[in-house]
Amino acid sequence: MFLKMYQVDAFSDRVFGGNPAAVLVLEDWLPDSLMQSIASENNLAETAFVKRAGDGWNLRWFTPTVEVDFCGHATLATAHILVTEYGIPGPLSFSARVGHLKVEVKENGYLLDLPCIPPEDLAQLPDIISPIFSNQAESWFRNFENIFVVLSGEDAVRACQPDLSALAGLGPVGVVITGQSTSSQYDFVSRYFAPGAGIPEDPVTGSIHATLVPYWAEKLDKKCLSAWQASQRGGHLACELKEDRVVIEGKAATFMKAEICLPA
């Protein structure tokens, strides 16, 4: 069996930037184990599988090791492929585990409309990671899938070298570190680690901004925020808090069009 597969650099206007994701447009779901094997073979942070559902689309995401509830950059990558390769006009509506996601097609990119996921109180950091951040953390909170650690500022976020083997002990739970930016260009910076889910450090992560944006919007008293994810590849996210939604502006570039061969 042969299937088309695409690889897209999301949150970037050119290849070799942003965050790579694989996209497969299906007529029907493959067995879960096969989708997981494809994602493992790709060894990207996310592989997206999408199929038509009425006027919209059902969307699922797999890391190299697990299926996840929420992924922003692979949603953007999927929308980009549907528009550029399949001629689907926007706006696009996706149903996923996390809920309803929308992508509006703009002349020079896309608007990714995500559910706002406000921060939840976290009494203390888990024992397994507390020693890593005990001398750096100013505060912390969580959402349904990640722990967020607020550091003293941009320099601390960029310099942080967490013990990935310790973070992997959290299983699929990821860790976000964030701090206020010292640059006039950005309001805050972040980095994201999820080694227990097969993602040592994610280059640019849309989903974490569904929680970072309401946090920093309250902290900085502003609805429109400019964010920088300070990974090696790096990426800029222009974000806006709109009531119970977070809207992120982004671009995408197709890196690869391929045909994969699957066992019969």
Side-chain angles (χ1 to χ4, degrees), residues 153-177:
E154 180 173 345
D155 291 344
V157 171
R158 290 182 179 274
C160 187
Q161 297 294 327
D163 180 350
L164 295 181
S165 61
L167 298 188
L170 294 171
V173 175
V175 175
V176 181
I177 57 174

Side-chain angles (χ1 to χ4, degrees), residues 83-187:
V83 170
T84 60
E85 298 295 332
Y86 290 83
I88 307 296
L92 298 163
S93 178
F94 299 99
S95 295
R97 281 183 174 184
V98 74
H100 184 218
L101 304 94
K102 295 178 284 185
V103 179
E104 184 178 344
V105 183
K106 307 294 284 185
E107 185 176 345
N108 195 29
Y110 304 91
L111 290 179
L112 182 61
D113 184 326
L114 307 175
C116 177
I117 303 175
E120 301 173 11
D121 289 339
L122 180 64
Q124 61 184 30
L125 290 173
D127 291 342
I128 197 168
I129 66 167
S130 182
I132 300 173
F133 301 109
S134 59
N135 296 324
Q136 304 179 66
E138 293 194 340
S139 60
W140 49 82
F141 52 90
R142 69 165 301 143
N143 66 13
F144 73 97
E145 62 176 357
N146 296 308
I147 293 168
F148 295 74
V149 182
V150 182
L151 305 185
S152 58
E154 180 173 345
D155 291 344
V157 171
R158 290 182 179 274
C160 187
Q161 297 294 327
D163 180 350
L164 295 181
S165 61
L167 298 188
L170 294 171
V173 175
V175 175
V176 181
I177 57 174
T178 186
Q180 189 168 349
S181 178
T182 54
S183 163
S184 59
Q185 209 174 349
Y186 308 112
D187 295 298

Side-chain angles (χ1 to χ4, degrees), residues 24-30 49-54 56-60 94:
L24 289 92
V25 181
L26 306 175
E27 293 184 5
D28 207 349
W29 298 130
L30 302 170
F49 299 87
V50 64
K51 74 180 186 74
R52 175 68 87 170
W57 302 84
N58 289 335
L59 181 58
R60 296 170 70 180
F94 299 99

Side-chain angles (χ1 to χ4, degrees), residues 239-260:
C239 310
E240 183 177 1
L241 180 62
K242 289 187 171 183
E243 298 180 349
D244 63 345
R245 308 292 295 183
V246 169
V247 178
I248 304 174
E249 184 176 350
K251 299 179 181 181
T254 303
F255 169 68
M256 181 173 65
K257 304 176 185 181
E259 190 173 63
I260 61 172

